[in-house]
Amino acid sequence: MSSNPKIVVLHLKELIYTVIFIAFAILLIFLLVFMFRSSSKDKETSAPEENTYTAGVYTSALTINGSSMELQVTVDEKNINAIELKNTDEAVTAMYPLVLSSVQDISNQIVATQSLDNISYTDDCKYTYSALISNINATLDRAKKSSDK
């Protein structure tokens, strides 16, 4: 009987690199599983959002120098969809040309952010903006109050 010994030569440097690579691979797998598991778990356990508004179209009167117009705010259960001026008199649009552009600018900002906070405007039309914002706020308060009933 003769035995043929087999000699296996392992390089320590290659062995260390292999162990480090396997440790990083296992760590990466755990991180990916943890990230995706927690995000799907958060979605499942999160409470459904409450309805903020009662869906509908709300109007309020806006009077400028005796000429009245309607400010119309359209909302659904969770979002402000549009803010427009209706029944505007030609005299008001001629005498106060900033009103229509101000309403459009405010509408764009509010619809984008869904908030009346941090609305930007220039100093030359701050009174127009403040009057419009207070009127919009009052109209949205009515939409919120009707959803509390």
Side-chain angles (χ1 to χ4, degrees), residues 32-45:
L32 288 174
V33 168
F34 178 73
M35 284 174 33
F36 288 117
R37 191 191 86 216
S38 66
S39 66
S40 63
K41 187 177 181 181
D42 289 342
K43 290 178 185 175
E44 292 172 1
T45 60

Side-chain angles (χ1 to χ4, degrees), residues 76-92:
D76 60 16
E77 287 83 13
K78 297 177 183 144
N79 297 317
I80 302 168
N81 295 329
I83 300 170
E84 302 172 325
L85 275 179
K86 298 291 182 178
N87 300 329
T88 57
D89 190 12
E90 289 181 18
V92 173

Side-chain angles (χ1 to χ4, degrees), residues 64-115:
I64 299 176
N65 277 350
S67 299
S68 64
M69 60 187 100
E70 290 181 355
L71 183 73
Q72 185 178 54
V73 180
T74 307
V75 296
D76 60 16
E77 287 83 13
K78 297 177 183 144
N79 297 317
I80 302 168
N81 295 329
I83 300 170
E84 302 172 325
L85 275 179
K86 298 291 182 178
N87 300 329
T88 57
D89 190 12
E90 289 181 18
V92 173
T93 56
M95 295 295 291
Y96 304 101
L98 292 178
V99 172
L100 293 176
S101 62
S102 297
V103 169
Q104 185 62 37
D105 184 40
I106 290 173
S107 175
N108 291 340
Q109 291 182 48
I110 291 175
V111 169
T113 62
Q114 295 298 313
S115 172

Side-chain angles (χ1 to χ4, degrees), residues 7 9-10 14 25 28 35 38-39 47 57 70 81 83 88 91 107 111 120 144-145 147:
I7 299 174
V9 177
L10 296 174
E14 291 176 4
L28 179 65
M35 284 174 33
S38 66
S39 66
V57 178
E70 290 181 355
N81 295 329
I83 300 170
T88 57
S107 175
V111 169
S120 61
K144 288 178 185 177
K145 286 180 185 175
S147 68

